[in-house]
Amino acid sequence: MKPKMRIAITMGDPAGVGPEIIVKALSHVEIYQKCIPVVIGDRAALEDAIRFCNLPIELREVSEVTEARGEFGNIDFINMNKLLPGEWEYKKNSAKCGEASFQYVIYGIRQAMEGKVQAVVTAPINKESINMAGHHYSGHTEIFA
């Protein structure tokens, strides 16, 4: 059997649907049968999404993406420490969330370029928030370029 690919999942805008989409997707065992997912984001937003979705899953913080185990029931994640609880408001654009989501993508790109992950999956970003943070890109494609 060939080894499973390690896939970085960037959390997207913490004030958007990204954290919720990620925790819901990673609550399905089929994902773990196919790959080793590791989320790049912030603990506070992931914890909030797990509570909101009322899911029986745990967070497992890792310091390197290569430490991800890919065990169903545990979401391996890199805590970028860009946000604390209460530092963002859902459905609101902000430079703080824009900076956080931009940094998640940059980290994911670096991990791929270093060969530590075999793919990067991105949750939705808010282009206006990224621009408010001073990063003038029209979307993920331009950031990756």
Side-chain angles (χ1 to χ4, degrees):
M1 182 186 326
K2 68 180 182 179
K4 293 188 237 176
M5 290 190 347
R6 184 176 298 107
I7 297 177
I9 304 170
T10 62
M11 195 174 74
D13 191 313
V17 299
E20 181 181 346
I21 291 169
I22 289 168
V23 300
K24 283 182 177 179
L26 296 180
S27 70
H28 295 275
V29 71
E30 298 85 6
I31 299 293
Y32 294 88
Q33 293 167 347
K34 298 176 191 249
C35 69
I36 300 170
V38 57
V39 177
I40 299 165
D42 274 285
R43 175 182 287 277
L46 290 170
E47 285 177 340
D48 205 33
I50 289 169
R51 265 191 310 277
F52 177 77
C53 296
N54 194 30
L55 295 171
I57 51 181
E58 300 290 324
L59 292 174
R60 180 177 172 269
E61 187 171 337
V62 296
S63 57
E64 294 286 334
V65 294
T66 54
E67 296 173 7
R69 294 184 196 150
E71 297 170 342
F72 177 66
N74 294 289
I75 296 177
D76 294 317
F77 79 104
I78 298 286
N79 189 5
M80 296 289 290
N81 291 307
K82 300 293 178 192
L83 299 168
L84 296 172
E87 286 190 327
W88 74 95
E89 187 176 342
Y90 290 105
K91 302 182 199 174
K92 298 283 183 180
N93 296 338
S94 74
K96 187 138 185 106
C97 286
E99 182 64 28
S101 61
F102 180 79
Q103 293 304 322
Y104 307 152
V105 173
I106 294 301
Y107 188 89
I109 291 168
R110 285 194 181 118
Q111 299 309 293
M113 291 178 73
E114 292 173 10
K116 294 178 180 178
V117 298
Q118 288 68 56
V120 179
V121 175
T122 58
I125 59 173
N126 183 300
K127 295 170 187 122
E128 186 175 336
S129 291
I130 284 179
N131 281 272
M132 289 169 71
H135 305 289
H136 301 288
Y137 294 95
S138 57
H140 283 107
T141 303
E142 293 75 17
I143 297 170
F144 273 82

